[in-house]
Amino acid sequence: MSASPVPGSPVRVTYIISAVNKALSFEWIAKHLNPHRVALSFILLNPADSELEQYIREVGLPVVRVVYRGKADLLRAIREVRGQLNVWKSQVVHTHLFDANVVGLLAAWSVGVPRRILTRHHSTLHHQYFPRAVYYDRFTNALTTHIVAITEMVKRILVEKEGVKPEKIRLIHHGFDLGTFMQPQPERVAALQQKYQANGRHPVIGVIARQTEWKGIQYIIPAFATLLTQYPTAKLLLANAHGDYQKEIQALLNQYLPAESYEQIRFENDLGSLYQLFDVYVHTPIDDHSEAFGQTYVEALAAGIPAVFTLSGVAPEFIRHEENALVVPFADSAAIAAAVQRYLTDPSLRAHVRTAGQTVATQRFGLDTYLCALEDLYCGQ
């Protein structure tokens, strides 16, 4: 099926993505990847239309939806993906997320796509919570020619826990359209302030994290309760408020906080504006390995928001205590409360971490660096 690259012609790359409605990172890739080097197409494994699919159509790239609702659709999905790869004569397949890895890599391997890549978006999640899924990870690892590790921690897990040869792995950090976070439109920020009733509230403490145990939100809620005794007009905004730990989070909210002191936001498209509502941002996963990357570490710093972090995912590679953030121990509500209090009483600290955070985000996580690394990978460099 596959044809050898023609010198001077763009490499035909097909992204296969599962269970994504909207993702800024894929939108940025669709819009900005160099079309002179890469002819990009998309196969989306979703049960219905999505915002991502609509966006890809708007920018004029080929996109096909393969209806996928679960394992019952597996064999049909593989057949459909095989057929589409043959139609497009794809030279590179790059898969993202669990079902896309299984379906896409099997299809690509079976039709002879010469370059088969997956990005590893999870860290120790399967090893800790879903051990049977590790067998699938090992299987899809074996189907690849290259694996993108998004952090040093993910690379370690691939090598030490799953036996992947280091030469098969390419370390490529996520890249960001940093202007989204550094230069939000004032009118959109104002609209969100009104929408989430943040006007007149101080301080506003922000959290953007799926409600699952290892994200550590259960330690932020008691910390905010402590803060509320000193700042009765404080407000806690919990965005991305859904997940398998939602009942436990709600029970803690009911136990610790009056209803008017917090708001849960299931989904907000305009993250660049949402960050500007926060006086302090808090992200505290419970260990160093459950977070695979943690895009919010970069987003918060790019947005210029003083942040309280635990060191998980990508954070140990660039977060420095009292330089670009305040770092607290894992699972420590008292330390979280104390760190937030430091920011609120020390304007010079806030100014310092804001400047240093935006500087490191720009230096290390710009979109151009990320896209060049992907293009080099696709072109065999």
Side-chain angles (χ1 to χ4, degrees):
M1 184 278 299
S2 61
S4 299
V6 177
S9 298
V11 178
R12 296 186 294 277
V13 178
T14 299
Y15 271 45
I16 304 177
I17 307 166
S18 57
V20 169
N21 176 55
K22 179 179 177 65
L24 287 175
S25 57
F26 294 128
E27 292 182 8
W28 296 333
I29 289 169
K31 183 176 182 179
H32 296 293
L33 208 64
N34 185 350
H36 300 292
R37 299 189 73 189
V38 176
L40 188 60
S41 57
F42 288 82
I43 298 175
L44 304 180
L45 275 58
N46 276 330
D49 197 7
S50 63
E51 291 190 51
L52 177 59
E53 181 176 338
Q54 293 170 23
Y55 182 87
I56 295 168
R57 293 189 190 285
E58 288 173 6
V59 298
L61 293 178
V63 57
V64 166
R65 184 194 327 143
V66 171
V67 175
Y68 190 86
R69 294 152 297 202
K71 292 180 181 178
D73 294 326
L74 180 67
L75 293 179
R76 177 189 51 77
I78 292 172
R79 289 195 300 270
E80 291 188 23
V81 172
R82 279 171 49 97
Q84 193 59 55
L85 295 177
N86 277 321
V87 169
W88 284 338
K89 296 182 171 56
S90 303
Q91 297 164 318
V92 179
V93 160
H94 191 164
T95 67
H96 297 266
L97 304 172
F98 184 78
D99 292 305
N101 293 343
V102 176
V103 171
L105 291 169
L106 269 171
W109 173 81
S110 68
V111 298
V113 175
R115 207 164 182 84
R116 302 178 301 278
I117 303 164
L118 74 79
T119 289
R120 176 65 171 258
H121 289 283
H122 61 277
S123 183
T124 56
L125 178 69
H126 291 167
H127 291 273
Q128 287 188 284
Y129 298 102
F130 308 101
R132 292 181 62 183
V134 176
Y135 295 104
Y136 289 93
D137 287 336
R138 292 180 181 274
F139 176 63
T140 53
N141 291 344
L143 290 173
T144 65
T145 58
H146 300 80
I147 298 175
V148 174
I150 54 180
T151 60
E152 293 283 0
M153 177 60 70
V154 169
K155 183 176 180 179
R156 280 179 50 196
I157 291 158
L158 287 166
V159 173
E160 296 174 9
K161 289 184 174 291
E162 297 174 23
V164 177
K165 294 180 179 180
E167 56 267 28
K168 195 175 190 178
I169 300 171
R170 190 75 63 93
L171 177 65
I172 302 177
H173 291 126
H174 289 316
F176 297 77
D177 184 351
L178 295 172
T180 301
F181 304 96
M182 291 180 169
Q183 299 156 349
Q185 298 177 15
E187 62 273 18
R188 295 173 70 172
V189 175
L192 290 188
Q193 285 177 322
Q194 182 173 359
K195 179 179 180 180
Y196 298 124
Q197 302 177 48
N199 289 315
R201 306 299 292 268
H202 179 80
V204 177
I205 308 303
V207 177
I208 303 176
R210 189 173 71 258
Q211 294 186 350
T212 195
E213 182 183 14
W214 59 265
K215 291 286 188 179
I217 302 169
Q218 63 269 33
Y219 299 102
I220 299 173
I221 293 168
F224 182 77
T226 300
L227 189 72
L228 200 59
T229 63
Q230 298 175 273
Y231 299 88
T233 63
K235 184 161 188 174
L236 178 64
L237 291 182
L238 297 170
N240 208 10
H242 59 91
D244 58 10
Y245 207 56
Q246 192 168 2
K247 289 183 179 179
E248 290 82 354
I249 294 298
Q250 187 60 60
L252 287 170
L253 291 168
N254 293 341
Q255 176 185 348
Y256 281 99
L257 302 180
E260 67 274 10
S261 70
Y262 69 88
E263 182 156 356
Q264 300 199 72
I265 304 166
R266 181 174 176 84
F267 189 79
E268 172 54 57
N269 269 346
D270 190 1
L271 288 181
S273 298
L274 183 65
Y275 277 102
Q276 298 304 316
L277 273 58
F278 308 149
D279 295 296
V280 179
Y281 183 73
V282 184
H283 185 64
T284 53
I286 62 174
D287 56 45
D288 65 349
H289 54 81
S290 290
E291 190 80 83
F293 188 92
Q295 296 185 40
T296 194
Y297 289 113
V298 180
E299 293 169 353
L301 265 59
I305 308 303
V308 177
F309 292 139
T310 56
L311 297 181
S312 189
V314 74
E317 300 180 41
F318 78 106
I319 297 298
R320 300 292 178 264
H321 181 54
E322 297 181 338
E323 176 61 28
N324 50 36
L326 291 180
V327 176
V328 295
F330 298 114
D332 192 333
S333 294
I336 295 170
V340 173
Q341 180 74 351
R342 278 193 67 187
Y343 278 133
L344 297 177
T345 58
D346 191 342
S348 63
L349 175 63
R350 295 197 303 270
H352 176 73
V353 299
R354 179 179 294 113
T355 299
Q358 290 188 319
T359 297
V360 74
T362 301
Q363 290 173 342
R364 299 191 57 152
F365 299 101
L367 190 61
D368 288 347
T369 300
Y370 175 57
L371 295 177
C372 286
L374 290 178
E375 291 165 10
D376 287 347
L377 176 60
Y378 302 149
C379 296
Q381 299 177 12

